[in-house]
Amino acid sequence: MPAFKRFNEQLAGQAIAALLLGARTAPFRKGRAAERNQGRRVKKDKPGVLHKKEADARVRRSAPNVAGKQTLAEILSQPDTWIKTGAQFGQNDTLAKVLRHFSREGPWLFVACGSSYYLSRTIAAQWTKLLGVTCNAVPASELLFAPFETLKRTGARQVVLVSRSGKTTEVLRAADWLKTQEQIRTLGVTCNDNSVLNELCTLTLKLPWADEQSMVMTRSFTSILILFQRLGARHASDSALAAALDRLPQKTMKWLGVNADKIRSFAAQRQYANYVFLGQGAHYWLAQEAALKMTEMSSSYAQGYHTLEFRHGPKSIAGHETMITFLLSDAAEAEESLLIGELKKLGATTMVVVNHTTPALRRESDLLVELGMDEPEYARMALTSIPAQLLGLEVGLRKGLNPDVPKNLSRAVVLGANGAPEKRRRA
Ligand code: F1P
């Protein structure tokens, strides 16, 4: 084995051991200390000054404990957070600042966990097409266990680390390691104003207004998606996309007024043993996110597939106990639509999310959700995410659960030095 490879193997071995044992470089220790201080600073606030966290906690305590109330409010607030995202990043021209630190050319690599990983995959798929550059996304653990292989395979020199909480240990450890790689520039993205990502990354973008009080990601997912769509539009000088994103919030407010209750009442009618979400291209990653929303909010069994892949085996589960949601794409809509009728004949219940409907789709869909937008497909992605958020919420409520506080989950997966999750807490 050539010396270079052996050296790399050893280094990788040391890197992995250090990362997994939670060994910290100085910035990370400093970062943790900064977090602890932050906690102490809050206690020293002047008497009578209500810290935001305490204010939020009082709102939580005062609001009648209606299951799913917070999650529903956050889902319906998405157009407002998109407006705030556009305004915030438009005002101080953060996007220009990002372009000064990061070149338009790739290869780019996104690193994240959970919904933030599916969000990263969605962005990577869109950027590859929009910017014509190599753009990948991996779960943070993939980078931690195969750091050099991941960088070699993706050729990444610019890495984006996405974490709504800014506390997910795998993401922070990845940022910690990347800081030791001189040739890499890192862009942190979080809804946490005080994340140690700030100290670990070359530049960090913060969206505190998009954070959720409840557990699962909804408006943080779509707001970060829109931020990167805006960044992509700026990179690609695509003014039509930028203008479409400007129009999206108002159009979505109207759309929610017409469709939110329709989706919620359909979801409340009955529950199924299996929930399937199908999507092609970038919609595949929205299908994965939709399946995760359904699982998190309702503890149901949900899976996501590439639409036409469903015929290659998974189709065996289609039947009266299966509800199948199609997120139809512009490129494959005609072929994807043929599958709807096939699965309906097998007894499955079908929900179809499509931009412009057709008589055939009306016939084959048990619930037809039409977006009705003239905007390009990218600009519709955030809206396309909403039906599954509402579906997961209602199925969870129908099962007597509280989607605001899902079973077994915490807002952030924080691991101890031994690699095991620290006790459940609201991060
Ligand atoms: C990622 C995440 C969420 C998931 C749960 C645990 O968090 O996996 O996607 O819904 O809340 O954390 P983050 O790194 O984006 O904060």
Side-chain angles (χ1 to χ4, degrees):
M1 179 191 288
F4 164 75
K5 196 152 166 33
R6 208 171 33 254
F7 170 74
N8 251 351
E9 299 280 308
Q10 282 160 5
L11 206 59
Q14 286 159 16
I16 296 164
L19 288 167
L20 287 178
L21 289 175
R24 305 276 194 276
T25 51
F28 194 60
R29 260 199 301 279
K30 202 171 68 180
R32 298 283 293 188
E35 276 185 49
R36 277 194 295 276
N37 285 338
Q38 170 64 23
R40 273 197 280 282
R41 261 203 298 282
V42 167
K43 293 199 181 61
K44 287 187 191 135
D45 271 352
K46 290 191 291 302
V49 173
L50 198 55
H51 189 270
K52 180 180 178 311
K53 272 211 167 113
E54 178 47 31
D56 288 346
R58 286 192 185 176
V59 168
R60 264 205 307 279
R61 285 195 291 271
S62 65
N65 189 17
V66 175
K69 181 172 188 276
Q70 273 178 357
T71 304
L72 177 60
E74 287 154 359
I75 292 172
L76 299 178
S77 73
Q78 290 180 96
D80 289 335
T81 57
W82 303 347
I83 291 171
K84 180 94 190 244
T85 301
Q88 284 292 106
F89 288 111
Q91 253 158 21
N92 48 19
D93 210 1
T94 308
L95 302 184
K97 192 171 167 189
V98 174
L99 300 187
R100 282 197 297 277
H101 284 77
F102 296 86
S103 86
R104 180 196 185 293
E105 297 315 311
W108 287 81
L109 175 64
F110 286 72
V111 175
C113 297
S115 288
S116 297
Y117 167 58
Y118 294 135
L119 163 60
S120 298
R121 279 284 190 177
T122 307
I123 297 163
Q126 289 187 16
W127 272 27
T128 299
K129 191 169 173 184
L130 183 65
L131 301 178
V133 296
T134 303
C135 204
N136 282 286
V138 293
S141 51
E142 280 296 295
L143 183 73
L144 291 178
F145 287 102
F148 294 105
E149 293 87 328
T150 302
L151 291 184
K152 182 94 180 134
R153 174 168 54 81
T154 59
R157 289 288 172 275
Q158 303 182 125
V159 180
V160 183
L161 297 117
V162 184
S163 174
R164 166 195 61 177
S165 65
K167 298 186 175 181
T168 299
T169 304
E170 291 136 287
V171 175
L172 299 183
R173 285 186 184 161
D176 203 25
W177 181 74
L178 287 164
K179 197 173 170 70
T180 65
Q181 306 300 303
E182 277 130 54
Q183 79 283 15
I184 302 280
R185 302 176 72 69
T186 52
L187 175 64
V189 185
T190 179
C191 295
N192 175 355
D193 257 339
N194 302 307
S195 168
V196 71
L197 277 176
N198 216 26
E199 296 171 46
L200 294 172
C201 294
T202 314
L203 180 68
T204 299
L205 304 180
K206 300 169 193 170
L207 300 84
W209 58 86
D211 199 356
E212 289 88 5
Q213 289 296 319
S214 60
M215 189 76 71
V216 299
M217 293 176 67
T218 49
R219 65 185 188 190
S220 56
F221 181 97
T222 54
S223 299
I224 296 172
L225 174 59
I226 281 183
L227 169 62
F228 277 87
Q229 289 173 330
R230 285 185 174 279
L231 188 56
R234 179 70 75 90
H235 263 313
S237 311
D238 187 335
S239 53
L241 176 56
L245 292 170
D246 289 341
R247 292 191 296 270
L248 186 64
Q250 294 304 332
K251 293 197 167 188
T252 301
M253 280 177 200
K254 286 199 196 86
W255 182 89
L256 281 168
V258 173
N259 292 282
D261 286 348
K262 185 170 91 170
I263 297 167
R264 293 177 64 195
S265 52
F266 181 85
Q269 277 165 19
R270 65 161 285 199
Q271 66 193 58
Y272 298 82
N274 288 302
Y275 292 87
V276 172
F277 297 87
L278 302 178
Q280 205 60 32
H283 286 83
Y284 168 73
W285 297 106
L286 293 188
Q288 290 295 340
E289 166 61 6
L292 181 60
K293 284 293 90 79
M294 177 60 74
T295 302
E296 289 180 322
M297 292 201 232
S298 71
S299 296
S300 302
Y301 189 64
Q303 310 157 73
Y305 295 97
H306 287 91
T307 309
L308 302 190
E309 276 297 292
F310 194 65
R311 288 197 182 103
H312 299 270
K315 185 177 166 182
S316 67
I317 64 168
H320 294 289
E321 274 309 308
T322 310
M323 177 177 175
I324 301 175
T325 298
F326 294 77
L327 305 179
L328 295 186
S329 60
D330 292 355
E333 181 180 325
E335 290 77 4
E336 291 175 302
S337 301
L338 295 175
L339 183 58
I340 302 170
E342 282 174 50
L343 300 180
K344 193 143 181 57
K345 286 196 187 83
L346 295 174
T349 296
T350 56
M351 168 164 137
V352 176
V353 181
V354 64
N355 193 32
H356 292 300
T357 188
T358 64
L361 285 178
R362 285 195 193 286
R363 276 196 309 276
E364 306 294 5
S365 315
D366 293 299
L367 174 65
L368 181 72
V369 179
E370 185 175 37
L371 305 182
M373 304 268 175
D374 299 330
E375 276 63 20
E377 188 169 58
Y378 290 155
R380 307 192 305 255
M381 286 281 177
L383 172 54
T384 305
S385 309
I386 293 180
Q389 296 171 352
L390 292 167
L391 193 66
L393 170 75
E394 286 306 324
V395 172
L397 293 175
R398 181 183 163 79
K399 292 174 76 171
L401 301 172
N402 181 2
D404 291 348
V405 198
K407 258 174 41 188
N408 311 334
L409 296 185
S410 56
R411 267 175 54 82
V413 177
V414 179
L415 305 176
N418 62 357
E422 288 184 352
K423 65 181 186 313
R424 182 178 157 134
R425 57 185 179 156
R426 292 185 70 82

